Tab-separated table of all heavy atoms in Angstrom:
chain	number	residue	atom	x	y	z
A	1	TYR	N	-26.119	22.047	10.654
A	1	TYR	CA	-26.101	22.518	9.257
A	1	TYR	C	-25.013	21.788	8.453
A	1	TYR	O	-25.261	21.295	7.359
A	1	TYR	CB	-25.895	24.026	9.212
A	1	TYR	CG	-25.840	24.573	7.805
A	1	TYR	CD1	-27.005	24.827	7.094
A	1	TYR	CD2	-24.623	24.838	7.208
A	1	TYR	CE1	-26.930	25.322	5.795
A	1	TYR	CE2	-24.566	25.347	5.917
A	1	TYR	CZ	-25.718	25.578	5.222
A	1	TYR	OH	-25.662	26.052	3.938
A	2	LEU	N	-23.806	21.743	9.002
A	2	LEU	CA	-22.681	21.099	8.314
A	2	LEU	C	-22.934	19.597	8.131
A	2	LEU	O	-22.586	19.045	7.094
A	2	LEU	CB	-21.394	21.372	9.061
A	2	LEU	CG	-20.924	22.812	9.077
A	2	LEU	CD1	-19.729	23.004	10.027
A	2	LEU	CD2	-20.579	23.320	7.675
A	3	ASP	N	-23.542	18.966	9.108
A	3	ASP	CA	-23.873	17.525	8.980
A	3	ASP	C	-24.862	17.275	7.854
A	3	ASP	O	-24.732	16.336	7.082
A	3	ASP	CB	-24.434	16.973	10.297
A	3	ASP	CG	-23.365	16.801	11.371
A	3	ASP	OD1	-22.163	16.813	11.017
A	3	ASP	OD2	-23.722	16.658	12.555
A	4	LYS	N	-25.868	18.153	7.765
A	4	LYS	CA	-26.864	18.020	6.688
A	4	LYS	C	-26.195	18.225	5.332
A	4	LYS	O	-26.463	17.491	4.371
A	4	LYS	CB	-27.985	19.038	6.836
A	4	LYS	CG	-28.808	18.825	8.087
A	4	LYS	CD	-30.066	18.133	7.759
A	4	LYS	CE	-30.986	18.131	8.986
A	4	LYS	NZ	-31.830	16.987	9.043
A	5	CYS	N	-25.306	19.212	5.266
A	5	CYS	CA	-24.625	19.479	4.007
A	5	CYS	C	-23.717	18.278	3.628
A	5	CYS	O	-23.610	17.935	2.448
A	5	CYS	CB	-23.758	20.744	4.108
A	5	CYS	SG	-24.800	22.240	4.130
A	6	ARG	N	-23.090	17.647	4.598
A	6	ARG	CA	-22.253	16.466	4.350
A	6	ARG	C	-23.126	15.350	3.744
A	6	ARG	O	-22.710	14.685	2.801
A	6	ARG	CB	-21.629	15.999	5.642
A	6	ARG	CG	-20.603	14.897	5.490
A	6	ARG	CD	-19.864	14.586	6.811
A	6	ARG	NE	-19.010	15.702	7.188
A	6	ARG	CZ	-19.232	16.532	8.207
A	6	ARG	NH1	-20.294	16.390	8.982
A	6	ARG	NH2	-18.405	17.498	8.464
A	7	SER	N	-24.325	15.185	4.296
A	7	SER	CA	-25.219	14.146	3.722
A	7	SER	C	-25.667	14.525	2.306
A	7	SER	O	-25.832	13.639	1.469
A	7	SER	CB	-26.410	13.887	4.620
A	7	SER	OG	-27.281	15.000	4.670
A	8	PHE	N	-25.809	15.795	2.012
A	8	PHE	CA	-26.139	16.249	0.644
A	8	PHE	C	-24.964	15.915	-0.300
A	8	PHE	O	-25.176	15.554	-1.445
A	8	PHE	CB	-26.435	17.732	0.595
A	8	PHE	CG	-27.682	18.164	1.293
A	8	PHE	CD1	-27.838	19.467	1.731
A	8	PHE	CD2	-28.739	17.297	1.509
A	8	PHE	CE1	-28.980	19.887	2.352
A	8	PHE	CE2	-29.908	17.700	2.146
A	8	PHE	CZ	-30.016	19.011	2.579
A	9	VAL	N	-23.731	16.120	0.150
A	9	VAL	CA	-22.559	15.809	-0.668
A	9	VAL	C	-22.613	14.309	-1.035
A	9	VAL	O	-22.434	13.948	-2.202
A	9	VAL	CB	-21.228	16.139	0.071
A	9	VAL	CG1	-20.039	15.611	-0.709
A	9	VAL	CG2	-21.112	17.624	0.273
A	10	PHE	N	-22.839	13.466	-0.043
A	10	PHE	CA	-22.922	12.010	-0.295
A	10	PHE	C	-24.005	11.727	-1.325
A	10	PHE	O	-23.785	10.988	-2.282
A	10	PHE	CB	-23.201	11.291	1.023
A	10	PHE	CG	-23.301	9.798	0.900
A	10	PHE	CD1	-22.152	9.044	0.698
A	10	PHE	CD2	-24.514	9.171	0.959
A	10	PHE	CE1	-22.224	7.665	0.572
A	10	PHE	CE2	-24.613	7.772	0.848
A	10	PHE	CZ	-23.457	7.034	0.642
A	11	LYS	N	-25.151	12.345	-1.141
A	11	LYS	CA	-26.286	12.091	-2.050
A	11	LYS	C	-26.003	12.553	-3.468
A	11	LYS	O	-26.170	11.808	-4.435
A	11	LYS	CB	-27.514	12.829	-1.516
A	11	LYS	CG	-28.736	12.731	-2.421
A	11	LYS	CD	-29.907	13.502	-1.866
A	11	LYS	CE	-31.083	13.463	-2.813
A	11	LYS	NZ	-32.252	14.151	-2.268
A	12	TRP	N	-25.579	13.822	-3.636
A	12	TRP	CA	-25.469	14.386	-4.970
A	12	TRP	C	-24.236	13.909	-5.716
A	12	TRP	O	-24.281	13.782	-6.948
A	12	TRP	CB	-25.576	15.898	-4.935
A	12	TRP	CG	-26.995	16.283	-4.583
A	12	TRP	CD1	-27.427	16.857	-3.426
A	12	TRP	CD2	-28.177	16.022	-5.379
A	12	TRP	NE1	-28.795	16.986	-3.447
A	12	TRP	CE2	-29.291	16.478	-4.630
A	12	TRP	CE3	-28.381	15.443	-6.605
A	12	TRP	CZ2	-30.586	16.391	-5.070
A	12	TRP	CZ3	-29.712	15.345	-7.076
A	12	TRP	CH2	-30.759	15.799	-6.316
A	13	LEU	N	-23.153	13.632	-5.047
A	13	LEU	CA	-21.986	13.085	-5.749
A	13	LEU	C	-22.225	11.642	-6.167
A	13	LEU	O	-21.658	11.178	-7.132
A	13	LEU	CB	-20.709	13.226	-4.943
A	13	LEU	CG	-20.201	14.653	-4.769
A	13	LEU	CD1	-18.849	14.674	-4.040
A	13	LEU	CD2	-20.089	15.423	-6.054
A	14	ASN	N	-23.095	10.961	-5.454
A	14	ASN	CA	-23.498	9.598	-5.839
A	14	ASN	C	-24.446	9.590	-7.034
A	14	ASN	O	-24.709	8.552	-7.618
A	14	ASN	CB	-24.145	8.849	-4.665
A	14	ASN	CG	-23.158	7.996	-3.938
A	14	ASN	OD1	-22.216	7.474	-4.556
A	14	ASN	ND2	-23.334	7.826	-2.663
A	15	ARG	N	-25.003	10.754	-7.364
A	15	ARG	CA	-25.950	10.813	-8.465
A	15	ARG	C	-25.321	11.403	-9.732
A	15	ARG	O	-26.036	11.898	-10.589
A	15	ARG	CB	-27.178	11.625	-8.043
A	15	ARG	CG	-27.946	10.913	-6.987
A	15	ARG	CD	-29.272	11.548	-6.769
A	15	ARG	NE	-30.009	10.777	-5.782
A	15	ARG	CZ	-31.234	11.042	-5.456
A	15	ARG	NH1	-31.890	12.024	-5.991
A	15	ARG	NH2	-31.841	10.306	-4.551
A	16	ARG	N	-24.036	11.320	-9.821
A	16	ARG	CA	-23.381	11.822	-11.023
A	16	ARG	C	-23.613	10.913	-12.203
A	16	ARG	O	-23.557	11.364	-13.348
A	16	ARG	CB	-21.888	11.949	-10.781
A	16	ARG	CG	-21.523	13.070	-9.871
A	16	ARG	CD	-20.035	13.117	-9.675
A	16	ARG	NE	-19.628	14.468	-9.282
A	16	ARG	CZ	-18.385	14.854	-9.197
A	16	ARG	NH1	-17.405	14.028	-9.477
A	16	ARG	NH2	-18.106	16.083	-8.843
A	17	SER	N	-23.820	9.671	-11.961
A	17	SER	CA	-24.030	8.727	-13.047
A	17	SER	C	-24.985	7.641	-12.575
A	17	SER	O	-25.465	7.666	-11.448
A	17	SER	CB	-22.704	8.125	-13.497
A	17	SER	OG	-22.171	7.317	-12.434
A	18	GLN	N	-25.238	6.651	-13.438
A	18	GLN	CA	-26.139	5.543	-13.083
A	18	GLN	C	-25.510	4.701	-11.944
A	18	GLN	O	-26.219	4.153	-11.134
A	18	GLN	CB	-26.349	4.617	-14.299
A	18	GLN	CG	-26.976	5.329	-15.486
A	18	GLN	CD	-28.453	5.531	-15.291
A	18	GLN	OE1	-29.049	5.025	-14.361
A	18	GLN	NE2	-29.055	6.289	-16.199
A	19	LYS	N	-24.189	4.650	-11.939
A	19	LYS	CA	-23.483	3.856	-10.928
A	19	LYS	C	-23.126	4.734	-9.749
A	19	LYS	O	-22.618	5.828	-9.917
A	19	LYS	CB	-22.213	3.267	-11.567
A	19	LYS	CG	-21.462	2.315	-10.692
A	19	LYS	CD	-20.259	1.837	-11.429
A	19	LYS	CE	-19.384	1.003	-10.458
A	19	LYS	NZ	-18.051	0.836	-10.946
A	20	ARG	N	-23.348	4.255	-8.542
A	20	ARG	CA	-23.005	5.020	-7.341
A	20	ARG	C	-21.493	5.206	-7.249
A	20	ARG	O	-20.734	4.276	-7.429
A	20	ARG	CB	-23.501	4.321	-6.097
A	20	ARG	CG	-25.018	4.301	-5.985
A	20	ARG	CD	-25.457	3.653	-4.718
A	20	ARG	NE	-25.055	4.494	-3.572
A	20	ARG	CZ	-25.327	4.197	-2.339
A	20	ARG	NH1	-25.942	3.080	-2.029
A	20	ARG	NH2	-24.941	4.997	-1.372
A	21	SER	N	-21.081	6.422	-6.928
A	21	SER	CA	-19.659	6.726	-6.796
A	21	SER	C	-19.085	6.253	-5.475
A	21	SER	O	-17.921	5.897	-5.402
A	21	SER	CB	-19.450	8.251	-6.874
A	21	SER	OG	-20.033	8.755	-8.041
A	22	PHE	N	-19.914	6.246	-4.433
A	22	PHE	CA	-19.413	5.942	-3.074
A	22	PHE	C	-20.266	4.938	-2.362
A	22	PHE	O	-21.495	4.908	-2.531
A	22	PHE	CB	-19.494	7.216	-2.177
A	22	PHE	CG	-18.719	8.389	-2.617
A	22	PHE	CD1	-19.379	9.550	-3.000
A	22	PHE	CD2	-17.356	8.374	-2.639
A	22	PHE	CE1	-18.652	10.660	-3.385
A	22	PHE	CE2	-16.630	9.467	-3.006
A	22	PHE	CZ	-17.284	10.634	-3.404
A	23	ASN	N	-19.633	4.163	-1.535
A	23	ASN	CA	-20.326	3.541	-0.396
A	23	ASN	C	-19.880	4.379	0.786
A	23	ASN	O	-19.065	5.303	0.652
A	23	ASN	CB	-20.011	2.056	-0.269
A	23	ASN	CG	-18.521	1.794	0.002
A	23	ASN	OD1	-17.809	2.631	0.553
A	23	ASN	ND2	-18.052	0.645	-0.433
A	24	TRP	N	-20.382	4.094	1.984
A	24	TRP	CA	-20.070	4.968	3.111
A	24	TRP	C	-18.589	4.966	3.461
A	24	TRP	O	-18.013	6.017	3.767
A	24	TRP	CB	-20.929	4.601	4.332
A	24	TRP	CG	-20.831	5.670	5.384
A	24	TRP	CD1	-20.157	5.617	6.557
A	24	TRP	CD2	-21.370	6.996	5.297
A	24	TRP	NE1	-20.248	6.801	7.229
A	24	TRP	CE2	-20.967	7.667	6.492
A	24	TRP	CE3	-22.112	7.676	4.371
A	24	TRP	CZ2	-21.339	8.997	6.747
A	24	TRP	CZ3	-22.486	9.000	4.629
A	24	TRP	CH2	-22.097	9.639	5.821
A	25	ASP	N	-17.922	3.793	3.393
A	25	ASP	CA	-16.493	3.720	3.712
A	25	ASP	C	-15.667	4.586	2.752
A	25	ASP	O	-14.753	5.286	3.165
A	25	ASP	CB	-16.001	2.269	3.658
A	25	ASP	CG	-16.616	1.430	4.774
A	25	ASP	OD1	-16.946	2.009	5.828
A	25	ASP	OD2	-16.774	0.207	4.571
A	26	LYS	N	-15.976	4.529	1.457
A	26	LYS	CA	-15.265	5.361	0.483
A	26	LYS	C	-15.558	6.826	0.721
A	26	LYS	O	-14.683	7.693	0.544
A	26	LYS	CB	-15.682	4.976	-0.938
A	26	LYS	CG	-15.065	3.702	-1.424
A	26	LYS	CD	-15.463	3.462	-2.884
A	26	LYS	CE	-14.896	2.170	-3.383
A	26	LYS	NZ	-15.347	1.889	-4.766
A	27	PHE	N	-16.771	7.131	1.140
A	27	PHE	CA	-17.130	8.532	1.384
A	27	PHE	C	-16.358	9.087	2.596
A	27	PHE	O	-15.917	10.242	2.559
A	27	PHE	CB	-18.636	8.680	1.613
A	27	PHE	CG	-19.097	10.072	1.820
A	27	PHE	CD1	-19.027	10.981	0.772
A	27	PHE	CD2	-19.549	10.529	3.035
A	27	PHE	CE1	-19.411	12.312	0.945
A	27	PHE	CE2	-19.956	11.840	3.231
A	27	PHE	CZ	-19.881	12.728	2.181
A	28	VAL	N	-16.154	8.296	3.618
A	28	VAL	CA	-15.371	8.708	4.769
A	28	VAL	C	-13.946	9.057	4.327
A	28	VAL	O	-13.373	10.076	4.741
A	28	VAL	CB	-15.390	7.634	5.877
A	28	VAL	CG1	-14.379	7.956	6.987
A	28	VAL	CG2	-16.769	7.514	6.473
A	29	LEU	N	-13.354	8.229	3.458
A	29	LEU	CA	-12.023	8.503	2.956
A	29	LEU	C	-12.030	9.787	2.099
A	29	LEU	O	-11.111	10.591	2.162
A	29	LEU	CB	-11.508	7.330	2.104
A	29	LEU	CG	-11.166	6.055	2.884
A	29	LEU	CD1	-10.848	4.919	1.930
A	29	LEU	CD2	-10.017	6.289	3.872
A	30	PHE	N	-13.089	9.953	1.295
A	30	PHE	CA	-13.221	11.141	0.453
A	30	PHE	C	-13.270	12.393	1.326
A	30	PHE	O	-12.629	13.403	1.021
A	30	PHE	CB	-14.502	11.016	-0.391
A	30	PHE	CG	-14.818	12.214	-1.186
A	30	PHE	CD1	-14.198	12.446	-2.421
A	30	PHE	CD2	-15.756	13.142	-0.751
A	30	PHE	CE1	-14.482	13.548	-3.160
A	30	PHE	CE2	-16.049	14.272	-1.510
A	30	PHE	CZ	-15.410	14.480	-2.733
């Protein structure tokens, strides 16, 4: 469940604007 939620965080925070907020390396730091 927590792993799925983590992937949702990556998906939805990347959809805040036209430009992606994260690549995977930045997301790991986040």
Side-chain angles (χ1 to χ4, degrees):
Y1 178 80
L2 294 171
D3 287 344
K4 296 261 189 211
C5 289
R6 188 173 292 107
S7 68
F8 293 156
V9 171
F10 180 74
K11 175 182 177 178
W12 290 111
L13 291 185
N14 263 329
R15 293 192 177 184
R16 287 179 157 189
S17 66
Q18 300 283 351
K19 185 181 173 196
R20 291 182 68 180
S21 305
F22 300 115
N23 62 28
W24 192 254
D25 293 332
K26 284 184 182 177
F27 183 67
V28 169
L29 291 173
F30 176 81

